[in-house]
Each structure stands twice: as C-alpha cells, then as structure tokens.
Amino acid sequence: MTNESSPVVAALNRYLVERARCLAEARRILGLNEVDVVTVLHITRNPGIRPSELRQHLGVTSAGVTTIVDRLVRRDILRREVDLDDRRANHIFAQVDLSVEPWDCLTRFDDAFSAALSGIDVKQQEAVASLLDTATAAAALD
C-alpha cells in the first residue's frame, strides 16, 4: 500500500488541512498572528503565569514577551495582575472564552481529537502515538 492510498495518511491530511483552515480563519477574524495564538492558548492553560515562564515557553526575549502581552492587553484579550506578595511581579490571565466562536476554533480540532482518542483503548492509543512519533522522528529537522 502506498502512502497515497493509505486511509491513515488521507485521514490525517484531511484533519491537518481542516485544522489549519480553521486556525487561519480564526486568526484572520481575530486579528492575531501565530505567536499571539500560542500565547493565548498557553495562558489559558496556565492562568496566572508569570512573564518569565511565558518567555521560556515562547522562546522569546523578555522584551518580546512584554510587546506581545502589551498588545493583547490593549485588545482586552489578556490582563495583568500585580502579585500581592511581590509588587514588582505580575501574573497574566486570558480574558477570552475559548468555548465560543470564533475563539473556539483555536481549540476545536485539538479538543475533538482528544475526545476521539478517549473513545479508543490504550493499546490503540499507543499504536497511534507510535505511528505519529515514528513519522515525526523521520521528518524532524533536529
């Protein structure tokens, strides 16, 4: 069986194409770039994160984090709160609800994929993970 006729490859390609389309449309509607999306998603999953932790996750400079967060705070997407124990520090929170349109498109495909995986047994999940890990390792730049 060639890759072109593999139902797994075809299904994965459909998933990736539709996921990319949904994310691109959400970014366009919301006026966000890819780094903004990664930032919002990470902060949503880690409410109250400190800028230094966000810097590590994004792999940008402190000034870069400040620029990103400032831009998203001005748009009421994020908010900063001063740390009551250390007034020099602050914590960052998302102010958007990722369960409503158009924000839901940022998580819709990953949530649906997780839900689908939860419906199959552990052995099948391990087989899917192994397949994806093998393909990723073969194609990775590192």
Side-chain angles (χ1 to χ4, degrees), residues 48 52 106:
S52 59
L106 300 180

Short mmCIF file of all heavy atoms in Angstrom, two decimals, residues 48 52 106:
data_model
loop_
_atom_site.label_atom_id
_atom_site.label_comp_id
_atom_site.label_asym_id
_atom_site.label_seq_id
_atom_site.Cartn_x
_atom_site.Cartn_y
_atom_site.Cartn_z
N GLY A 48 -2.54 32.82 35.32
CA GLY A 48 -1.70 33.41 36.34
C GLY A 48 -0.22 33.22 36.10
O GLY A 48 0.61 33.50 36.96
N SER A 52 8.12 35.57 32.95
CA SER A 52 9.34 34.77 32.77
C SER A 52 9.02 33.35 32.32
O SER A 52 9.73 32.77 31.49
CB SER A 52 10.16 34.75 34.06
OG SER A 52 9.40 34.21 35.12
N LEU A 106 -9.72 27.94 17.88
CA LEU A 106 -8.34 27.78 18.32
C LEU A 106 -8.13 26.44 19.03
O LEU A 106 -7.01 25.95 19.10
CB LEU A 106 -7.92 28.92 19.24
CG LEU A 106 -8.00 30.34 18.66
CD1 LEU A 106 -7.55 31.36 19.70
CD2 LEU A 106 -7.16 30.46 17.39
#
